Amino acid sequence: MSAWRTSLPQASTAAVQVDHAFFWVLLISGLILFVLLVLIVGFVIRYRRGSPAFRGPLPKSFKHELEIGWTVATTFLAIFIFWWFTAGNGLPPRAAPDQLEVHVVAKQWMWKTQHPDGAREIDALHIPVGRQVRLVMTSQDVIHSFYAPAFRLKQDVLPGRSTELVFTPTELGTFELFCAEYCGTQHSHMKGEIMVMTPAAYRAWLPRQPHGDTLAHEGEALYARFGCGACHAPGSQVRAPKLGGLYMSTVLLRGGASVKADDAYLRTAILEPRDQIASGYDPIMPSYGGVATASDVEALVAYLKTLEKGGEP
Amino acid sequence: MSDVAHPAAPDHPATPGSAVPPDYLHDGHTLRSWLFTTDHKRIAILFALSITLFFFIGAIAISVVRLELVTPAGDLVSDDTYNKMFTLHGIVMVWFFLIPSIPATFGNFLLPLMIGAKDLAFPRINVLSWYLYVAGALLTVVTIIAGGVDTGWTFYVPYSTMFSNTAVLTAAMGVFVNGFSSVLTGVNFIATTHVLRAPGMTWFRLPLFVWAMYATSLVMVLATPVLAMTLLLIVVERWFDLPVFDASRGGDPLLFQHLFWFYSHPAVYIMVLPAMGVASELIACFARRRLFGYSFMVYALVAIAVIGFFVWGHHMFVSGQSPYANVVFSFLSFMVAVPSAIKVFNWTATLYRGSIGFDAPMLYAFGFLGLFTIGGLTGLFLATVPIDIHVTDTYFVVAHFHYIMVGGTVSAFFGALHFWWPKITGRLYPETLARIAAVLMFFGFNLTFFPQFVMGYLGMPRRYHVYPPEFQIYHVLSTSGAALLGVAYVMPLFYLIWSFRWGARAGANPWRAKGLEWQAPSPPPRDNFLTPPVVGEPYDYHPPEGPTAAEEQVA
Amino acid sequence: MDERRREIWIRPLLTWAALCVLLAATCALAYVPMGRANLAVSLAIAAAKAGLVGVVFMRLFENNPLNRLAAAAGPIWIFVMFLLLFSDYATR
Amino acid sequence: MSGAFLKPPFENLERQHVAVSFGMWIFLGSEILLFAGLFAGYGVYRNLCPDGFLAAGRETDIVYGTINTAILMTSSLAIAVAGRAARAGFGKMAWRLLIATIVLGLLFLVLKGFEYREDIEKHLIPGAGFPLAQKGAQIFFTYYWVMTGVHAIHVTCGLIAVGRLAVAGRRNLAWLAGSASEDATALYWHLVDVIWIVLYPLLYLTGRAHG
């Protein structure tokens, strides 16, 4: 039998918070359990059948004061724990300026990650220590869950949608990555490693990777392969919306509504083009739902985000 | 009236000049007289036999799982078999054992007796409810024969609708059909409690077991249909290929989870509320004490049933649900902890100044109390969003819900079985063996599930066929605990069957308990009572006011 | 038609007439562009119709109060379900 | 006469009536939650894909929908009056009204069948060849088929229950007035009507004012 795990590294800022919360809730519930055990065992011994203990009626004050007392106390304690650990920490952290955005695609049964400069990995993720990381994750098939116990992080990865995890690694080393949402036959084989490196080592590591392309470059290639330019290029015969500077601009929709062209909008526009039709254009674009894979869509979106106004493709 | 033993009533107190009706066990001996019965007691027995069968099917499935997990490599069974086994365990144990466990057996048997009625309000619907259970159970058996299903008991989409190539349809239909059995039982219980209480049996004189059945029925009636519809939508998507949850066609897989947990969280209360009712009966009887804070206990039961509907989102903190919804559901989950805590405090306070006996049912009740408390307290961890993010979908959650559903409900089920066994069969069980089984069950349970809390916190994900070797020691402990637990479950099977034939005759009220069911003969005849039962204050074990004779002497 | 027969018919028949008027109204209003209010209006009319059927045809206020309790449970639970469901969908 | 209708475990007829109608009301509460599972999905998807739902809503046949609503409302009237007539001692009239209810219910199903045929001819079944491209339009039609299908099953169950009343009532007209079944069956039939009243705006009135 190999080594016996008795502790888990605290490898992120979140890990410290979670362990802190865990400690206090453990202490509070341990105290409650201890008091109850003492009372139950004490009563059991003192009032066992045949013991000489006094067994008269309860004192009058005992009844309602006690009940109302512990009801109120329990309510306050519950609200207190909620306020202390959830109300403040339940919402995701704010984005840091030097945030590192890594794209993660999950599929049965592997993790594919891609760094901003195009470095690709399978079942592995290298990140520099001390820098905030934002994982943008999507699934190609069923629901998976990105679980890194050492970071105390977990987030389900859904098909047709992207979910995010924002965290800051604080410790160097190699840590486990699991899939925590049951995803089929080889669910328990869907594992990986997260390598936290010094920033210098990360910079040195990046170029040595099986360097695919940057996500945006890959998106550019896909743009050409799918023939998007046939309609979207400035000189095209077909009238289609211009894509330069589209990201984060406000798009007027047919019917008068308007929408901000964020990641979700771009993704929907590729997969379900007739869902939100830009004002002044005909709904003629075909859906790329069955054509572009989840990672293709991520690449296309990354490419669209790089296009400046006027800098048309 | 002080705590004086009732003279043991004869089995059949014959009134002069009238023939004594046969007890329900001897009221017809043909198979037909059982299969077409409308007697709530016989239907309870039919349910008891069927859920026992399914309990063992579920137990065999989990034995394979636990044996596989003795080693970190996947060496005993293939991953596919492993997945089918834990799925089978979940589906069978949740829907074909735990949900009907106490309500359909003890609820069926005792509810009319406890309120002084001859039967449930709709006896034919009651037997229909058993047939629906059987139909659902048969579909589950068909599922097993067809090679099993590997979706997990939660049937999460899109795995269940588009990716699994196992018998999802029959499994889902089995649960669907079984749902109607729950609904009909619930309708029957609610109507019976409202209209068939004996004269003098006011709402605040009802035993807490009846209140628990009432609250449970509320959940059954209002939550189960949503599950039925959700499973139907899975069938529609899988079989007819119509888009419902499919993300590639505009659907939202999280909608499935919302609808599923809208039922499945309250379903936890379908399992545990009856156990709370049982514990209340046992603790009051064996502490010889009026239940502390009766009315608070009632309010707490109803509050748990109602608030239990508002907390389903705490199963979805990492699912991609909005973080704002997480905060709302976290708050509501903390709120449902309050009535649960009140119940534990009141049971403890009931022991104060009691006269506590240690018969087997009471040992089971103590087991329930301890295990339910641990299960409930670990619920606080899971309601706290940051902690839940780390421990959800790990063995921590597995341990938590087993503490509630097995530690709580199954302990109470066995407590009830021993407590009412004399009423059901007219015989006494062997006390020493029963105490050994009760103690064994408590220790076996803790050995099985406590290590799971630890390994869950250390990052062991659930539903894993192979796992990092550093967790092996915990799995070995867990499996050895499961073996003990298995012995503790099988023991009663043997000595109870033995006592059914050779046990000592019980008399009407061997525990000197105060519920109306003890005024009927053991076993009761078709119409339950030979003479109309006399309704008094509930749990009148100890005088509420005024000193007893002994205390007067002291003064 | 004697007096007693008329008494049997009169209230249900009036209710039926009201239901028909409401049906015509909801059908006509559906063609009036009101944006999002179209759904609200048509559901409000549906609720009114359901209320009429419940109160008159199903004699909700002639029988015992228990039935009203049971009848209220369904709508209340649906309300809670939507409230909490949209605590997710409205803030996602 | 009351003895004939009294069933165990009840000891008086009034209590039995209370129990049966209350039991039916609880069951109806459960039925409402069954449809709530569908309403929830409909509500969520209508919110997620409003355009698809409005476009798809225009494709259902409002003529069939409206006529069928009127038919079910009328059948509800018939069975409501049948109950009142039975209790007032007009057994024959009550029996005729039950037959009218059955006829109207069957008419509803027949029209629904014609409507389904028309929907199939227009390829309004989600999948290949579905005419609308907007996101969510197919999901609308999934809900259309499931909602109307589950409702049609309820109509069928209701027809069987009313048919049972009519058969039993034909032999013994007094039975209609005395038995608690009449009340319970009528309640069930009214619920089927109420559900349709809610389905009607969701499936037939959606999107009519747009486009």
Side-chain angles (χ1 to χ4, degrees):
Chain A
M1 220 176 272
S2 61
W4 171 4
R5 182 179 296 191
T6 51
S7 67
L8 202 56
Q10 287 183 324
S12 74
T13 45
V16 179
Q17 276 179 16
V18 169
D19 284 354
H20 177 253
F22 190 88
F23 170 78
W24 282 103
V25 179
L26 188 63
L27 192 72
I28 293 167
S29 51
L31 274 177
I32 297 172
L33 186 65
F34 178 74
V35 170
L36 278 169
L37 267 181
V38 167
L39 285 175
I40 292 172
V41 172
F43 290 161
V44 161
I45 293 172
R46 189 167 157 80
Y47 299 107
R48 68 191 183 279
R49 199 162 291 168
S51 77
F54 174 72
R55 290 191 167 85
L58 300 176
K60 276 262 182 316
S61 65
F62 209 72
K63 278 226 92 168
H64 289 288
E65 284 83 345
L66 199 64
E67 281 190 301
I68 292 168
W70 69 43
T71 306
V72 172
T74 321
T75 312
F76 272 106
L77 185 67
I79 294 177
F80 174 71
I81 302 180
F82 163 75
W83 167 79
W84 196 7
F85 297 118
T86 293
N89 301 335
L91 300 178
R94 203 178 285 241
D98 66 338
Q99 198 181 51
L100 175 69
E101 184 179 304
V102 179
H103 286 254
V104 178
V105 174
K107 56 184 280 192
Q108 284 175 329
W109 292 276
M110 63 165 76
W111 296 99
K112 300 204 289 188
T113 57
Q114 187 164 21
H115 293 254
D117 79 328
R120 290 162 168 281
E121 305 179 71
I122 285 181
D123 288 343
L125 174 65
H126 288 72
I127 41 175
V129 73
R131 183 167 161 199
Q132 195 184 54
V133 179
R134 174 159 160 256
L135 300 181
V136 180
M137 308 186 287
T138 187
S139 164
Q140 274 188 14
D141 37 49
V142 302
I143 299 178
H144 302 278
S145 189
F146 187 98
Y147 179 35
F151 302 122
R152 315 287 187 276
L153 287 178
K154 193 181 287 122
Q155 173 62 55
D156 284 7
V157 182
L158 304 168
R161 216 186 115 182
S162 73
T163 50
E164 297 188 352
L165 258 183
V166 179
F167 65 102
T168 310
T170 56
E171 203 177 290
L172 296 173
T174 302
F175 305 100
E176 293 162 312
L177 162 63
F178 293 122
C179 174
E181 183 65 66
Y182 176 69
C183 59
T185 311
Q186 297 198 47
H187 167 56
S188 63
H189 294 279
M190 192 165 160
K191 293 188 258 199
E193 285 181 331
I194 301 175
M195 267 73 79
V196 181
M197 325 167 82
T198 61
Y202 177 70
R203 274 194 303 276
W205 169 85
L206 267 182
R208 281 188 277 113
Q209 275 321 288
H211 233 82
D213 220 338
T214 69
L215 205 53
H217 271 121
E218 198 188 315
E220 190 172 9
L222 287 166
Y223 182 92
R225 201 178 93 210
F226 290 138
C228 308
C231 304
H232 287 284
S236 163
Q237 298 291 313
V238 185
R239 258 174 50 77
K242 301 290 167 285
L243 301 176
L246 174 62
Y247 182 58
M248 283 307 178
S249 67
T250 303
V251 179
L252 275 177
L253 295 181
R254 175 183 282 192
S258 66
V259 63
K260 189 181 229 185
D262 53 7
D263 293 50
Y265 171 83
L266 295 179
R267 210 171 283 124
T268 316
I270 298 166
L271 294 173
E272 300 283 350
R274 298 188 191 182
D275 188 32
Q276 292 171 312
I277 297 158
S279 171
Y281 295 96
D282 290 329
I284 49 174
M285 175 166 158
S287 162
Y288 283 79
V291 185
T293 65
S295 35
D296 291 349
V297 175
E298 291 305 312
L300 281 168
V301 170
Y303 172 58
L304 294 180
K305 283 158 79 168
T306 63
L307 297 179
E308 308 266 319
K309 182 141 188 101
E312 304 293 349
Chain B
M1 188 166 63
S2 68
D3 185 23
V4 180
H6 288 269
D11 267 294
H12 300 296
T15 32
S18 73
V20 177
D23 69 60
Y24 79 99
L25 289 170
H26 295 93
D27 191 9
H29 290 89
T30 57
L31 189 61
R32 207 187 141 76
S33 73
W34 279 90
L35 292 181
F36 295 99
T37 184
T38 52
D39 184 345
H40 66 104
K41 299 180 288 299
R42 286 198 161 196
I43 296 168
I45 301 291
L46 291 175
F47 263 116
L49 293 175
S50 359
I51 67 165
T52 305
L53 177 68
F54 272 82
F55 178 75
F56 282 102
I57 294 179
I60 290 168
I62 203 61
S63 307
V64 175
V65 168
R66 284 269 36 118
L67 283 174
E68 164 62 58
L69 292 172
V70 169
T71 58
D75 38 16
L76 181 68
V77 292
S78 70
D79 38 16
D80 202 34
T81 310
Y82 177 88
N83 295 342
K84 285 175 177 169
M85 284 298 154
F86 76 68
T87 302
L88 184 65
H89 170 72
I91 291 177
V92 164
M93 286 302 201
V94 169
W95 282 297
F96 296 95
F97 175 70
L98 282 168
I99 298 252
S101 63
I102 297 178
T105 56
F106 297 107
N108 237 329
F109 196 97
L110 295 169
L111 182 69
L113 280 162
M114 283 181 160
I115 62 174
K118 286 184 187 169
D119 204 326
L120 289 176
F122 313 117
R124 283 188 297 175
I125 286 182
N126 195 18
V127 73
L128 174 63
S129 160
W130 181 69
Y131 278 102
L132 286 169
Y133 173 90
V134 171
L138 282 178
L139 278 165
T140 306
V141 171
V142 169
T143 308
I144 300 172
I145 295 170
V149 57
D150 73 342
T151 57
W153 75 281
T154 45
F155 292 110
Y156 268 20
V157 296
Y159 186 70
S160 63
T161 50
M162 292 155 66
F163 290 86
S164 173
N165 47 19
T166 54
V168 178
L169 285 179
T170 48
M173 289 315 290
V175 176
F176 175 83
V177 172
N178 185 41
F180 290 95
S181 166
S182 279
V183 170
L184 293 184
T185 300
V187 169
N188 221 334
F189 283 4
I190 295 179
T192 306
T193 314
H194 273 280
V195 298
L196 283 178
R197 281 171 288 124
M201 181 56 90
T202 56
W203 280 95
F204 280 81
R205 281 178 165 182
L206 288 175
L208 277 168
F209 182 77
V210 174
W211 270 109
M213 282 303 130
Y214 186 81
T216 307
S217 306
L218 212 66
V219 183
M220 282 177 168
V221 167
L222 294 172
T224 315
V226 177
L227 174 78
M229 193 43 84
T230 312
L231 292 171
L232 194 68
L233 288 174
I234 285 203
V235 172
V236 163
E237 184 158 47
R238 192 178 164 91
W239 204 350
F240 299 102
D241 197 33
L242 301 185
V244 185
F245 305 115
D246 178 2
S248 67
R249 290 185 283 176
D252 179 23
L254 285 198
L255 175 65
F256 171 83
Q257 296 179 24
H258 277 298
L259 295 174
F260 179 81
W261 291 114
F262 181 87
Y263 164 81
S264 291
H265 190 77
V268 174
Y269 299 106
I270 297 181
M271 305 176 208
V272 83
L273 287 170
M276 292 175 166
V278 169
S280 304
E281 301 296 317
L282 302 190
I283 289 174
C285 176
F286 290 98
R288 312 305 301 167
R289 199 74 197 170
R290 166 178 291 261
L291 209 59
F292 184 86
Y294 171 92
S295 50
F296 266 63
M297 292 291 252
V298 171
Y299 300 141
L301 278 175
V302 178
I304 292 172
V306 174
I307 304 174
F309 273 95
F310 307 159
V311 303
W312 82 79
H314 68 218
H315 295 264
M316 299 169 63
F317 286 162
V318 302
S319 68
Q321 174 178 253
S322 140
Y324 299 95
N326 285 356
V327 173
V328 170
F329 280 116
S330 167
F331 177 75
L332 293 166
S333 305
F334 275 107
M335 288 301 99
V336 83
V338 176
S340 312
I342 289 171
K343 298 204 70 82
V344 174
F345 297 151
N346 281 13
W347 287 319
T348 308
T350 305
L351 300 173
Y352 180 63
R353 294 192 175 178
S355 171
I356 302 167
F358 300 99
D359 306 81
M362 188 59 163
L363 296 184
Y364 281 113
F366 280 132
F368 165 85
L369 193 53
L371 301 177
F372 174 76
T373 306
I374 296 178
L377 286 170
T378 49
L380 296 178
F381 295 82
L382 295 163
T384 307
V385 175
I387 304 179
D388 180 83
I389 287 175
H390 172 48
V391 295
T392 189
D393 281 325
T394 71
Y395 268 76
F396 191 93
V397 166
V398 175
H400 161 73
F401 70 72
H402 280 90
Y403 263 81
I404 301 279
M405 285 151 62
V406 183
T409 306
V410 178
S411 293
F413 178 83
F414 275 91
L417 188 61
H418 288 82
F419 186 62
W420 283 292
W421 184 255
K423 182 54 60 191
I424 294 168
T425 63
R427 306 283 181 155
L428 293 174
Y429 59 83
E431 183 64 40
T432 315
L433 277 174
R435 287 183 190 180
I436 294 172
V439 173
L440 197 62
M441 195 177 291
F442 182 78
F443 284 104
F445 179 86
N446 279 304
L447 185 56
T448 311
F449 291 103
F450 199 81
Q452 299 190 358
F453 278 125
V454 182
M455 67 173 139
Y457 192 75
L458 296 176
M460 170 78 211
R462 64 189 290 206
R463 296 173 169 178
Y464 261 36
H465 173 231
V466 298
Y467 58 87
E470 290 166 303
F471 292 115
Q472 187 176 11
I473 181 85
Y474 300 105
H475 279 296
V476 170
L477 286 174
S478 196
T479 300
S480 42
L484 280 186
L485 206 48
V487 174
Y489 289 148
V490 173
M491 271 178 71
L493 187 70
F494 286 103
Y495 65 71
L496 287 179
I497 290 175
W498 174 87
S499 78
F500 181 65
R501 184 126 183 91
W502 292 286
R505 291 206 176 266
N509 190 0
W511 309 116
R512 296 176 296 126
K514 304 287 176 163
L516 293 195
E517 75 271 28
W518 302 104
Q519 295 185 22
S522 305
R526 173 67 185 88
D527 285 344
N528 292 344
F529 296 97
L530 298 176
T531 51
V534 182
V535 180
E537 289 301 311
Y539 307 108
D540 196 12
Y541 289 105
H542 189 273
E545 309 289 340
T548 61
E551 286 156 17
E552 270 178 342
Q553 276 182 356
V554 174
Chain C
M1 206 190 276
D2 68 44
E3 189 59 33
R4 280 176 64 215
R5 277 174 198 252
R6 187 191 331 222
E7 214 164 90
I8 291 169
W9 275 97
I10 191 96
R11 261 163 60 90
L13 210 54
L14 282 176
T15 310
W16 178 80
L19 286 173
C20 288
V21 171
L22 284 171
L23 175 62
T26 191
C27 193
L29 283 170
Y31 286 92
V32 181
M34 291 182 280
R36 299 188 71 117
N38 273 109
L39 179 66
V41 168
S42 62
L43 284 181
I45 293 178
K49 281 157 76 183
L52 277 177
V53 173
V55 171
V56 183
F57 288 173
M58 300 168 96
R59 298 181 299 138
L60 208 44
F61 282 85
E62 292 172 35
N63 291 332
N64 63 4
L66 274 183
N67 294 356
R68 290 198 283 284
L69 204 68
I76 291 174
W77 253 253
I78 291 186
F79 173 73
V80 170
M81 184 193 220
F82 269 78
L83 197 69
L84 290 173
L85 206 52
F86 278 89
S87 81
D88 176 16
Y89 285 99
T91 60
R92 210 184 255 179
Chain D
M1 90 161 219
S2 70
F5 312 122
L6 194 63
K7 293 213 180 77
F10 292 96
E11 273 154 8
N12 75 62
L13 205 56
E14 195 197 340
R15 221 55 206 140
Q16 181 175 342
H17 264 120
V18 169
V20 170
S21 82
F22 179 52
M24 182 46 87
W25 270 108
I26 305 168
F27 183 68
L28 298 189
S30 190
E31 289 279 21
I32 291 175
L33 265 290
L34 186 79
F35 280 92
L38 290 171
F39 295 151
Y42 179 96
V44 164
Y45 287 132
R46 186 171 173 142
N47 182 51
L48 289 179
C49 339
D51 298 338
F53 266 57
L54 293 183
R58 285 193 288 277
E59 297 300 314
T60 55
D61 193 311
I62 193 169
V63 179
Y64 277 125
T66 311
I67 292 175
N68 260 346
T69 312
I71 287 173
L72 267 197
M73 281 170 8
T74 313
S75 75
S76 226
L77 168 75
I79 202 164
V81 179
R84 286 164 164 77
R87 279 185 295 279
F90 302 112
K92 193 83 193 154
M93 177 167 129
W95 189 79
R96 283 184 186 142
L97 282 164
L98 286 181
I99 298 300
T101 308
I102 294 172
V103 169
L104 288 165
L106 286 173
L107 189 61
F108 174 91
L109 286 180
V110 168
L111 286 182
K112 195 73 215 152
F114 281 123
E115 188 188 346
Y116 277 161
R117 195 179 71 183
E118 199 179 279
D119 295 333
I120 292 169
E121 279 165 2
K122 286 160 74 185
H123 299 289
L124 289 171
I125 301 172
F130 187 80
L132 301 172
Q134 287 94 333
K135 183 176 98 172
Q138 298 207 14
I139 293 184
F140 176 93
F141 268 94
T142 301
Y143 276 91
Y144 167 81
W145 287 100
V146 176
M147 282 172 161
T148 55
V150 174
H151 181 264
I153 293 170
H154 279 76
V155 173
T156 311
C157 293
L159 280 175
I160 293 169
V162 181
R164 178 180 154 267
L165 276 188
V167 170
R170 191 180 154 79
R171 272 187 261 118
N172 179 1
L173 287 176
W175 183 82
L176 281 181
S179 158
S181 297
E182 196 282 329
D183 200 22
T185 309
L187 286 176
Y188 187 82
W189 189 261
H190 292 309
L191 179 89
V192 170
D193 182 26
V194 167
I195 296 284
W196 184 262
I197 284 174
V198 178
L199 292 184
Y200 173 67
L202 298 182
L203 299 177
Y204 293 94
L205 301 183
T206 294
R208 296 291 164 190
H210 305 259

